[in-house]
Every structure is written in C-alpha cells, then in structure tokens.
C-alpha cells in the first residue's frame, strides 16, 4: 500500500482536524494540518475539510470559510480530480463554496444532535466510498445542529439519477424512514458527491469511528477506500517514485 | 453634604468600609471602592466560607497544584497531569438561562487552558424546579422552570459544541426547592504535561502585562456582587439581566488555541483568565500571588464601546479575555501567536516591585491599592451556627410505614419513569460527547464517563454527583456532602477506576442567618469527613451562597466532581451483564426505614423527612473492594445503587444488557427502593464467584449474592416485569 498523504485544512473554529490526524495515524497515513491562511496544500494525495465551526459559522455555516485563502488551492486540487472529503462543517463549506450542490439547514427539530447513526452506502464509487458495496451499512457518529440537506426537487432528482447521493440516513436494517432521519434531510440524504465523483461531502464523522474502543471502526472501513483508489492512479505512483 | 459614597451599593458593610479606610490609611476613591466591593464580595472573597474551608484535606502524593490557582492538578503518571475544576453559574442562569449557562461553561474552560492544559471533557450538574404544577408548584412557576431548563441545556450545548470540547458527564435533579433558583455547576477537565502547567503568579519587575482576547465592554459589570446577593422577586431578576455576560465560544476557541500554543514557552511567566470582577481581580490576584505589583494604563485597554469610565473598564466582566505576564523583551513573540488567531494582545502595563495595583487613565491616577488587600484581606466571618428550628421535626418523621410496604412492579415502573430517574438521553444527545475521540464510555452508558489518554494505556473516569439521596441536604447537610463524595467514588469504582481527587461546588442559601451558616459549616464538615475516609484530596472548588428567593433558600446542595484513574483501560467495567452471571449487592446493609430518608419514593409519597445515616468507613472499603475486583478482571459488570435503590439499579442494568435477571432483595419497599449511598451491584461469571465472595469476606465488606442474570424479564422477590416494559418506562421523554 502507498500510505496516503492527506492535508487536513484548519479553519479558525474547526476542531475535527486533530481527530482526523489521529485516525490517519491509526490507518498508517500521513496527515498534515494546513492553516486556512496558507495557499499551498503541500502536494497531498487527498484533502480533508474537517468538522467544527469555521469562522464561528458566523453569517451562515461555511459562509465565511469559502473566502479563506486556502480554498483557492482546494478548488484547484478538486478541479484537477484530487480527492476532497468534507465532513460535517467541511460539507457545509463545500456547499457554500459551490463545490457541491445544495445547502445544509438547521435540523428540523431545531436541536443539536450527537449520536451514533446508521448510514447506507448508495453510491459506492470514487476515492471515498469505492471500497464499499451498494447497500453496505455504516454506523458513524453525527454531531451537528445544521445538517438538514436541502436542494430543489429537480436537483435532487438529478443527483439521484446520476448516482451522486452517496449516503443516506437509515434504520439499523437499512431502511430510509422519517424515524431514521436525524435532522429532516431531503430524501434522507447524508452525503453527496460532485459530478466527477472526487469530492464527497457528508454530515457524519468517519474519523470518530476509527477504533473499536471508542465505538466502532466503520469510519476506517470507509476511509480505506482511498488507499485502493490511489493505488489505481498511475499519477500517484509516479509522484512517489 | 454627607459622604455620598454608598458603600452599600458595592455590597460592602459599614465595618468593611472602615477596614478599607484603615488599610489604605485614607478614604478610597470611587473606583477603588468599586474594586473592593467586587473583590470583597462573597463570590470573590469567600468571606463566610474561607474560615471553614481552610480545614479541608487538600494534600496527597498526586497533588501538583491545590486550591488557590485557576484549577487543581493531579499527577497521573507518564509525565502527565489532569487539571480540573468545577464552578457554579447559578445566579446568571436564573436570570438569563442561555447566556448564564454558556458563560459558566466558557469560564470553567478558561480556567483549565489558562493552566496550560488542553481541555478534554466537560461535565455539568443541574437543578431545576419541576415542570408539572402540583400542590407545591403553581402553573406559572412550572412553566418558568421548563423555560430555565431549556435555556440552560441549550446554553451548555451552544458553548461546548462550538468550542469543541465533549460534554461527557452530568446529572440533573428536579425539586420544588430549586424553583426560581436553578443550579448550574460546570466542570472542565484537561490534560497537560507537567512542564506545560502554567501558574498565575506574576514575577519580575518590568515584565509586560498583556491583555488578550476579546475587547472590553459594559457587560457583566457588578456580576460578582450580583452573584453575592439573594435573588429578588421575578421582576427584580429581569432588571439584573445586564449583570449577565454574553459568551462567544468561537472567540474562546481561538484564545484557547493561542494560549495552548504558548503553554510551556518560557516567554510566558503567568496566565490568568478574566472572570468575576474582570481586570481588577486578575491584576490583584496575579500580583498578590507573586508578591509584586502591577502598573496599568487603562487607556490602552481595547474597548468595544466608547465613553467607558475607568471604573467600568476595571470591573467589566466581558468574557473571553486573559491577562498574560510576558518576560520583558519577548512581547512580540507572544503577540505574533495571538495575531495569527486575529486576537488582540495589547501591552497594558508592567509588573512593578511595589505590591500595589496602580492604574491610570488619561494621565491621571485612578487607583493605587495593595493587591493583597484586594485579593487576600477581605474579612473572614465566623457566625453563630444554629440548626433550623424545624430540623428535629423533619428528622423525626417515621419512615417505617412506607419502608415495610409491599413493593410492586407498578412502583418500580413509576420510579423508573419519574423525572428524576428517567433516561437523560434527550439532554445529552444535544451535547457533542464524542469530540476528541477519547470517549470510551459516554453519558448514559455507565456510572462514570471514561476518557482514554491517547498515547498511554490509561483512562480517566469522570463523574459529577450531588447528595445521594438527592434530597439529603434538607435532612442532614453534613451527610449530604459526605454522600456526594461517596456516591462519586462508587461511580468511579463501578467503572473500574480508582478515585484520585475531587473538585466541588457548594451551593447554599445565605450564610448570614444562624441556620444558613450552620448548613454551610455542616456541608464543609461532611466534605472533609468523606475525603478523610476515602483518602481523597480536594484540589479545587467553589462556593455559591445566597441561592435563595423570597420563598426561601435552596436545599443545601454540595456537588462533587471526581476524577478516577485506570492505569490500564482494558480493565474498565461497564453496566452490561451476560446471561448466567451471578449478581452481588456489595456495601452497607440498607433495608431499614432510614434508607428511604430523602429517597425518590419517600418524596413522591409526600414523606419529606427522616434521619438518614451512612457508614463512611464501610463505604470507603466498598469503593476499594470494587476497584480492586475490577482491576483484577473479576467483574463482568457493575453499577452503583443510587436513585430508586437496588430495584431501579437492577432495572437499569437489565435495560443496558437487554437481558433480565432473577434476584432476591428482601421483599420490603426499603430493600427495593432505599437509596443509602455506598453500595454497588456487581455481576461476575460463575467461575469468579468464589473469588468475589472470598475477597469481600477478606475486607469485611458486606456482600450478598442476590441472584443471577438471564431471561427476558426481571424477577424480583418473585415479582416479574419484562425488560421491554422497563425500557419503555425509563425512556419516557422528560
């Protein structure tokens, strides 16, 4: 295996970067924290936008983070086909930056929600989910107050038609239902990808499910997809020679 | 014109005013009087409690920093320390529940990172009046109780979730005695390398004083004296809203990251957060601790509004500010760290040799007072202590008729679903309790939260507990405090850890009546009793007095935050038994009527009295035995017996395991629902049974084999209830 080199962006107010770095260590990856004011990502194999409250989520979640200098480099990296993962606040930032469709609104019950949550993999492709199979279930923590995925009906139809709805909130037996939906997201959507499939945004926290002693390793199962994906990229192997 | 300086406006008595004049050798000016008013308030000076608190046990082989600093610190090995403290924010929360609770959380977090420790976890202990109107509580009060509860929970969630520190432990109790005066006690625990621990003692004349973080505004002025007075009528409470600070967790997150980057740097001499009494308190304490003085130009203090008087600048309690003492010549190095986080770090003055706090504004001196006079020399009052007149009557209430009543499944289900004993999931799922990926056992999953210490085999156990039974304070304040310590210790032991130290919040009414002072002195004595019996040091804490409304004082409510240590976290014990496990009830026998004194059952039946008792020595040995059994891998599951007694404890274990049990408790309501603290239910495999029995006998701790786990229902003394029914009752929404 080529140990992936991941750059984790740190905005003022984010906090999952440290947990991603720890999970990367568990995976045997190299993680580098990149401050939002930097413009150079450091030639990573993948980029992670972590959870938290970037810039205090002032104005709207992710609304100010999109203007951070580092985002120009993230956009260029993604445009070049590089794998980008936005989890929780990172998903919100990707939506605000226009790198993913839709928006994340306040949870329908108006409360913050932190819990373990079942997810179903509906689009097992690309760098972040390619190692899984359609219908696979993942049990991952969620922790957000504004995770209700919203887009207009036409956009939702188009996302489904293009297999870009990556993950949905489900019950333990894999059923999408109101009861399984922790925030009122449209069609139970927990994660979506961009058109090319290299950018994934999801509300759950895979980095929080990287060891059995803290509750499970489904996050590792998901993240390992990246190793396989990179192995299939001649450009990456070349870069390492 | 007579002297118009209203000392009273600053909460000072005439005698105190005279003492200030004598100390200064002159009349204080307005600004100085305001500074003394804040610093000599009960909140800052502990005038009524300090004499009592001086007798508490605060030393031990693990104690690195005891009371008197921003927080206490204990050695946990591997070159690491846990730094922790709990603090109350009751008065602000009674007036503005969201901001009151949020700034309580923000304040305690600052205390921890000021010490150079990265906060690892939060916890909280809450008290409210009931949500349902009844004979004791009218409709409007019940509605306001719900409003206060919702605001407090949202405030804790809002601050803790945003700053990114998991909230892992807590408790909430509802009782009519807290209507109008809720209690919000917040705890923070952090971890630091020994060499990162930073104290709050200035030193070195010429060293720079940097004010960092938020700008200074008019919020929270006189917050310290507000916290030191009795809450008035509802309308008056509304008027005190401006005395409540407004929190900004995002700003504090930046402040925290910057301060942690500097922890351990030799450019930093001392750090002190600005809390009650703002800049005044920080300058006085930092200089008094270091035996030096401070000279400050108030014009340099960054403001968020114009036209602030020196008095306001010195006493503003604007949140998210710190005072940092920086070695002369190293200022820019420190400032550059704060700049990266877009934070002010302004040099407002310097350390001077003369031990005075001397401030100027617009070229004129506005105060010149000895820091020690402000920080250490407030009068200490020892008042007459007399038990309340109705105590004897309360304690002579006969519990036997209730105790001997035949228990029933219906009563068990009623208790399980009662506001004080039902599941807290609807609260804790609003708190991020997994951030940091250290939470091995989170809220609702065990008696104490367990947090791993990455890079080591260790885990920390954390619990917050009030008196057990929760109403003990009304019947016996001394026992109430002792029971809180013992309850916390049994929680820690049931998780498989060894207790290593505590912090506390002592919440009481006014100490200025003989009964009030008696309650305070009894609570402090009880705290000492239990810490001595368990050999546990107190490393930090706070006292919150004047918790009363026109309807009277709250029940004495000592709250203990306890830290336990697991050298090897693989020996942690959970609540989940396995079918076939044998069950023991370990600890002091409690099937007598007095075991129901202060219990949930007694209170719900209107039996508000009794003479509770507690054998601390047996309790301490029980804690030791359970810790040892866990460490040696002999336990499959453990759960302490508290609210609702052994029957509710067994029900909780059955729900956790999703598997029933058959047990014999003794057939009386006291045996089922008695709440005497210091008892633990344990489950062990049949193989380990002999060893458990032998160990218990060897230590002289009473232990009964009460039954075995297994089956779809709980069978208690021949009465049966399905686990699904137990769950349904317990998961009743609050």
């Amino acid at each position: 295996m080529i140990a992936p080199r991941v750059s984790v962006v740190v905005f003022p107010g984010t906090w999952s970067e440290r947990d991603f770095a720890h999970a990367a260590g568990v995976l045997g990856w190299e993680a580098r924290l990149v401050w939002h004011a930097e413009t150079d990502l450091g030639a990573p194999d993948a980029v992670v936008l972590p959870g938290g409250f970037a810039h205090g989520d002032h104005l709207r979640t992710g609304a100010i983070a999109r203007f951070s200098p580092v985002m120009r480099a993230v956009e260029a990296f993604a445009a070049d086909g590089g794998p980008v993962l936005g989890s929780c606040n990172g998903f919100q930032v990707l939506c605000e930056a226009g790198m993913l469709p839709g928006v994340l609104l306040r949870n329908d019950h108006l409360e913050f929600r932190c819990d373990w949550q079942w997810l179903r993999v509906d689009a097992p492709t690309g760098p972040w989910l390619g190692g899984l199979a359609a219908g696979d279930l993942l049990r991952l923590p969620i922790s957000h107050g504004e995770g209700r995925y919203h887009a207009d009906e036409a956009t939702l139809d188009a996302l489904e038609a293009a297999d870009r709805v990556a993950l949905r909130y489900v019950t333990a037996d894999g059923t999408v239902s109101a009861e399984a939906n922790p925030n009122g997201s449209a069609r139970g959507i927990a994660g979506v990808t961009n058109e090319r499939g290299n950018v994934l945004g999801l509300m759950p926290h895979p980095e929080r499910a990287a060891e059995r002693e803290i509750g499970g390793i489904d996050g590792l199962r998901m993240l390992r997809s990246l190793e396989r994906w990179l192995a299939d990229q001649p450009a990456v192997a070349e870069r390492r020679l | 014109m007579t002297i118009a300086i209203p000392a009273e406006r600053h909460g000072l008595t005439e005698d105190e005013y005279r003492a200030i004049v004598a100390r200064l050798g002159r009349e204080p000016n307005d600004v100085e009087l305001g500074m003394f008013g804040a610093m000599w308030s009960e909140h800052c000076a502990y005038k009524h409690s300090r004499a009592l608190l001086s007798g508490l046990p605060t030393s031990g082989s693990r104690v690195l920093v005891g009371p008197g600093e921003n927080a206490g610190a204990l050695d946990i090995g591997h070159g690491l320390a846990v730094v922790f403290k709990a603090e109350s924010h009751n008065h602000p929360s009674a007036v503005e529940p969201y901001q009151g609770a949020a700034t309580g959380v923000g304040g305690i977090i600052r205390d921890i990172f000021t010490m150079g420790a990265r906060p690892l976890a939060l916890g909280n202990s809450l008290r409210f009046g009931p949500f349902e109107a009844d004979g004791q509580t009218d409709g409007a009060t019940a509605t306001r109780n719900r409003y206060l509860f919702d605001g407090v929970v949202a405030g804790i969630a809002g601050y803790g979730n945003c700053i990114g520190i998991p909230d892992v432990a807590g408790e909430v109790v509802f009782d009519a005695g807290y209507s109008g005066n809720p209690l919000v006690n917040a705890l923070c625990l952090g971890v630091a390398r020994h060499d990162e621990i930073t104290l709050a003692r200035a030193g070195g004349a010429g060293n720079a004083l940097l004010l960092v973080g938020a700008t200074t505004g008019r919020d929270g002025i006189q917050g310290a004296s507000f916290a030191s007075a009795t809450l008035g009528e509802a309308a008056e409470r509304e008027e005190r809203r401006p005395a409540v600070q407004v929190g900004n967790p995002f700003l504090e997150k930046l402040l925290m990251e910057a301060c942690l980057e500097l922890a351990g740097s030799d450019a930093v001499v001392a750090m002190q957060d600005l809390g009650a009494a703002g800049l005044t308190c920080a300058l006085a304490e930092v200089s008094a601790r270091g035996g030096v003085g401070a000279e400050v130009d108030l014009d340099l203090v960054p403001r968020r509004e114009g036209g602030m008087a020196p008095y306001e600048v010195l006493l503003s309690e604007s949140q998210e500010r710190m005072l940092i003492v920086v070695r002369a010549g190293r200022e820019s190095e420190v400032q550059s760290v704060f700049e990266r986080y877009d934070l002010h770090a302004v040099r407002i003055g310097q350390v001077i040799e003369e031990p005075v706090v001397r401030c100027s504004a617009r070229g004129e001196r506005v105060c010149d007072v000895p820091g020690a006079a402000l920080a250490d020399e407030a009068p200490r009052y020892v008042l007459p202590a007399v038990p309340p007149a109705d105590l004897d009557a309360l304690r002579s209430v006969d519990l036997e008729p209730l105790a001997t009543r035949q228990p029933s499944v219906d009563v068990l289900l009623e208790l399980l679903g009662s506001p004080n004993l039902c599941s807290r999931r609807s609260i804790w799922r609003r708190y991020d309790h997994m951030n940091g990926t250290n939470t091995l056992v989170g809220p609702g999953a065990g008696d104490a939260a367990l947090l791993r210490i990455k890079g080591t085999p260790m885990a920390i156990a954390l619990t917050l507990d009030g008196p057990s039974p929760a109403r003990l304070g009304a019947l016996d304040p001394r026992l109430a405090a002792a029971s809180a310590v013992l309850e916390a210790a049994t929680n820690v032991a049931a998780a498989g850890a060894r207790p290593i130290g505590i912090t506390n919040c002592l919440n009481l009414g006014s100490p200025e009546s003989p009964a009030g002072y008696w309650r305070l002195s009894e609570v402090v004595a009880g705290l000492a009793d239990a810490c001595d019996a368990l050999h546990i040091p107190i490393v930090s804490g706070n006292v919150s007095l004047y918790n009363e409304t026109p309807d009277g004082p709250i029940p004495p409510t000592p709250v203990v935050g306890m830290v336990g240590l697991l050298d090897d976290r693989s020996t942690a014990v959970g609540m989940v038994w396995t079918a076939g496990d044998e069950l023991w009830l370990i600890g002091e026998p409690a099937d007598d009527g007095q075991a129901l004194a202060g219990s949930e059952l007694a209170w719900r039946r209107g039996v508000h009295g009794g003479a509770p008792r507690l054998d601390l020595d047996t309790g301490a040995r029980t804690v030791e035995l359970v810790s040892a059994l866990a460490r040696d891998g002999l336990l499959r599951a453990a759960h302490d017996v508290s609210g609702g007694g052994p029957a509710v404890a067994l029900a909780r274990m059955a729900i956790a395991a999703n598997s029933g049990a058959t047990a014999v408790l003794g057939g009386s309501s006291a045996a089922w629902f008695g709440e005497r603290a210091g008892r633990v239910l344990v489950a062990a495999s049949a193989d380990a049974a002999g060893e458990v029995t032998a160990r218990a006998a060897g230590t002289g701790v009473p232990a009964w084999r009460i039954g075995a786990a297994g089956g779809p229902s709980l069978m208690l003394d021949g009465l049966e209830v399905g686990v699904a029914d137990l769950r349904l009752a317990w998961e009743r929404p609050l």
Side-chain angles (χ1 to χ4, degrees):
Chain A
M1 174 194 105
I2 299 173
R5 292 176 187 163
V6 181
S7 284
V8 185
V9 176
V10 183
F11 295 96
T14 54
W15 23 249
S16 287
E17 62 271 10
R18 295 162 57 85
D19 296 343
F20 262 108
H22 177 78
V26 173
L27 283 158
W29 298 4
E30 287 173 41
R32 177 185 152 172
L33 302 184
V34 179
W35 183 237
H36 79 118
E38 291 181 36
T39 52
D40 182 1
L41 288 166
D45 297 323
V47 171
V48 170
L49 303 189
F53 288 69
H55 297 279
D57 275 353
H58 291 155
L59 196 58
R60 276 192 317 279
T61 55
I64 300 175
R66 60 176 284 214
F67 296 111
S68 278
V70 75
M71 285 305 290
R72 306 293 78 75
V74 174
E75 281 160 357
F77 182 79
D80 206 29
V84 175
L85 178 72
S87 158
C88 190
N89 196 220
F91 185 13
Q92 295 162 341
V93 173
L94 290 172
C95 289
E96 281 289 336
M99 294 172 68
L100 289 173
V103 290
L104 292 143
L105 303 176
R106 186 115 189 252
N107 294 350
D108 59 352
H109 45 71
L110 306 182
E111 287 181 3
F112 194 93
R113 185 57 42 87
C114 177
D115 221 332
W116 286 90
Q117 171 72 44
W118 285 102
L119 285 310
R120 190 182 71 205
V121 179
D122 278 6
T125 57
W128 301 108
L129 296 169
L132 302 169
D136 271 3
L137 298 184
L138 300 173
R139 189 170 167 269
L140 300 176
I142 55 164
S143 188
H144 58 253
E146 304 188 32
R148 175 160 57 104
Y149 188 73
H150 174 80
D152 61 48
E153 292 296 310
T155 303
L156 295 172
D157 289 342
L159 286 174
E160 286 181 341
D163 267 348
R164 289 172 55 192
V165 174
L167 295 159
R168 287 184 212 262
Y169 302 110
V170 292
T171 54
D173 64 1
T175 312
V176 175
S177 72
E179 172 212 349
N181 191 329
N183 52 31
S185 284
R187 304 186 193 183
I189 293 174
V192 297
T193 58
N194 65 347
E195 220 173 316
R196 194 165 168 181
N198 59 317
V199 178
L200 170 67
L202 78 169
M203 285 314 296
H205 288 267
E207 79 286 2
R208 294 188 182 184
E211 289 146 295
R212 287 187 202 285
E213 70 174 356
I214 55 164
I217 56 163
D218 283 0
L220 284 194
R221 277 176 62 205
M222 182 193 129
L223 293 171
R224 284 226 162 88
S225 299
L226 180 66
E227 295 167 6
R228 215 165 103 164
W229 187 85
L230 289 174
D232 290 341
Q233 308 294 310
V236 174
E238 224 168 86
R239 203 157 65 225
R240 292 295 171 84
L241 286 176
Chain B
M1 199 173 138
T2 52
I3 299 174
I5 294 174
E8 206 180 293
R9 195 187 72 200
H10 298 284
L12 294 165
T13 66
E14 229 176 284
D15 284 345
E16 287 167 352
Y17 183 74
R18 281 196 209 101
I20 293 165
V21 173
R23 179 66 172 86
L24 297 181
R26 61 177 169 84
E27 301 266 343
N29 64 32
D30 272 359
V31 172
E32 292 167 339
L33 190 60
M35 294 166 77
F36 273 102
M39 290 302 292
W40 285 20
S41 68
E42 186 65 41
H43 187 75
C44 291
Y46 288 39
K47 286 184 285 200
H48 291 91
S49 57
R50 200 170 266 200
L52 297 169
L53 296 172
S54 60
L56 290 173
T58 57
S59 56
S61 57
R62 291 184 184 275
V63 178
L64 298 173
V65 180
E69 283 285 343
N70 282 304
L74 292 171
D75 178 22
I76 55 169
H78 297 264
L80 299 173
V82 285
V83 177
F84 64 105
K85 189 182 183 188
E87 208 158 67
S88 58
H89 233 219
N90 305 334
H91 280 59
S93 303
V95 171
E96 211 306 296
Y98 184 99
Q99 291 298 343
T103 54
V105 173
I108 198 66
I109 293 171
R110 275 200 305 286
D111 279 334
I112 302 310
F113 70 73
T114 300
M115 296 279 297
R118 177 168 283 279
L120 200 68
L122 294 169
N124 55 76
S125 170
L126 311 176
R127 299 288 184 283
F128 300 94
F131 299 164
E132 307 281 341
D134 58 20
Q136 267 184 294
T137 307
D138 63 44
T141 302
T143 304
R144 180 160 175 91
N145 289 337
R146 173 104 226 177
Y147 156 78
L148 291 172
F149 168 82
D150 285 337
V152 165
V153 171
I156 291 170
Y159 208 101
N161 294 344
C162 179
I163 198 167
I165 303 167
D167 196 310
V168 298
E171 55 148 20
V172 55
V173 174
F174 301 96
D175 186 82
Y178 303 102
S179 284
N181 197 133
L183 301 185
V184 178
N185 293 179
L187 177 147
C188 185
L189 174 145
V191 172
R193 289 197 321 265
H194 290 184
D195 62 356
E196 287 171 329
I197 291 177
T198 309
L199 298 181
R201 298 158 194 258
N207 282 341
L209 298 170
L210 298 193
L211 184 62
V212 309
T215 49
T216 297
R218 286 197 172 94
D219 52 328
I221 288 173
Q222 288 192 332
S225 31
F226 160 56
S228 308
T230 301
L231 286 165
E233 298 286 353
E236 201 181 312
R237 262 177 261 158
E238 286 303 308
E239 283 174 24
R240 299 316 304 261
R241 234 171 233 275
V244 180
Q245 313 87 344
V246 176
N248 181 345
F250 170 60
L251 197 60
E252 180 146 315
K253 162 77 172 162
L254 302 180
L255 194 57
M256 175 173 82
E257 295 300 339
C259 289
L260 290 175
E261 248 186 78
L262 288 166
S265 154
D266 64 353
V268 173
V269 178
M271 290 203 261
Q272 167 75 46
D273 82 301
L274 270 64
L279 194 53
T280 297
C281 183
L283 290 170
E285 290 194 346
V286 160
S287 55
R289 283 196 198 104
V292 292
E295 188 173 62
V296 168
D297 180 356
L298 295 177
D299 294 342
L300 298 173
V301 172
R303 328 263 170 110
R304 69 180 64 150
E305 51 197 310
M308 287 181 72
Y311 167 85
E312 293 172 311
V313 175
L314 276 163
L315 288 166
S316 160
E317 294 186 8
S318 289
Q319 297 286 290
E320 292 92 22
R321 297 180 300 159
M322 312 270 288
L323 182 70
I324 302 195
V325 183
V326 178
R327 240 171 259 291
R330 308 280 296 272
E331 294 91 334
S332 63
E333 194 181 316
V334 172
Q335 281 165 324
S336 72
V337 172
F338 287 100
E339 267 162 29
R340 189 141 41 82
Y341 291 95
D342 294 322
L343 295 169
H344 294 283
V346 177
R347 188 182 192 283
I348 58 166
Q350 60 175 347
V351 176
I352 54 175
E353 259 171 49
E354 196 184 341
V356 294
V357 175
R358 183 177 290 151
C359 302
S360 63
R362 293 184 188 151
E364 287 189 23
R365 184 162 299 175
V366 297
C367 68
D368 191 356
V369 290
L374 290 167
D376 302 323
E377 294 172 19
R380 296 178 183 193
Y381 297 122
V382 177
L383 300 178
V386 181
D390 61 351
L391 189 69
D392 284 343
L394 263 180
R395 290 174 57 88
S396 61
V397 166
D398 185 9
L399 288 156
E400 282 308 315
L402 183 62
T404 51
R405 207 176 282 176
Q406 174 82 20
S408 72
V409 164
D410 285 347
V411 176
L412 172 58
L413 293 175
E414 175 199 329
L415 288 174
L416 257 184
S418 69
N420 278 329
L421 302 179
C422 70
S423 167
R424 268 58 183 132
R425 185 161 182 260
S426 64
I427 301 174
W428 55 251
R429 67 180 180 174
R430 295 172 68 176
Y431 304 148
D432 188 339
H433 49 274
M434 306 186 210
N435 209 330
T437 62
N438 296 312
T439 308
L440 306 174
V441 176
D447 288 345
L450 282 184
L451 298 153
R452 64 177 174 181
I453 306 293
K454 285 184 185 131
T456 78
M458 299 187 291
I460 291 293
L462 178 66
T463 178
L464 275 108
D465 294 287
S468 179
R471 273 71 169 228
L472 219 49
L475 307 178
D476 188 335
R478 183 167 186 156
L479 216 54
S483 75
V485 178
L486 183 57
E487 166 70 11
T490 46
N491 278 332
V492 163
R498 270 174 305 129
I500 59 170
I502 70 168
T503 181
N504 65 86
C505 288
L506 307 181
N507 307 277
L508 294 114
S510 164
E512 293 177 38
S513 70
Y517 193 76
W518 176 80
R519 292 188 186 101
L520 173 61
S521 53
E522 287 287 291
V523 160
V524 175
L527 203 56
D529 292 344
C531 288
D532 287 339
L534 287 151
H535 306 293
I536 302 175
I538 299 170
V539 297
S540 57
N542 117 300
V543 181
S544 171
L545 302 177
Y546 301 96
N547 288 291
E548 51 183 277
T549 65
D551 294 332
I554 59 159
T557 312
V559 169
V560 167
M562 185 175 287
V563 174
L565 182 63
L566 266 156
D567 293 317
D568 173 1
R569 61 179 175 264
S570 68
T571 64
V573 176
M575 273 175 67
V576 179
W577 61 40
T578 304
D581 284 354
E582 303 203 5
L583 307 177
W584 279 262
L585 179 56
I586 299 182
E588 191 192 350
D591 52 3
D592 54 300
Q594 296 306 352
L596 281 173
S599 67
E600 194 60 32
L601 178 68
W603 236 252
R604 291 179 72 81
R605 296 295 179 267
V607 186
H608 297 189
R613 56 184 175 76
L614 188 60
D615 178 350
L616 282 175
D617 180 52
T618 303
R621 279 184 291 127
T622 302
V623 167
E624 197 149 319
L625 171 66
V626 173
S627 297
L629 291 173
R631 185 194 57 221
D632 297 339
L634 292 164
L635 301 184
R636 190 103 74 175
H639 180 41
D640 97 303
V641 174
S642 56
V648 167
L650 280 165
R652 289 286 313 281
M653 292 181 88
I655 294 166
N658 203 21
S659 143
T662 300
V664 175
L665 289 174
S668 72
S669 284
W672 277 42
F673 306 122
E675 297 186 12
R676 184 167 297 139
R679 294 179 294 159
V680 185
L681 276 169
V682 306
S685 68
D687 295 346
E691 181 74 10
V692 172
T693 307
R695 294 272 200 107
T699 52
V701 175
W704 289 269
R705 228 164 86 185
I706 57 168
S713 56
L714 189 59
M715 183 83 84
L716 296 181
D717 294 329
L719 299 176
E720 184 172 10
V721 54
V723 175
D725 291 332
L726 293 172
R727 182 187 305 280
L728 197 66
W730 182 63
E731 289 183 349
R732 159 199 185 279
L734 257 177

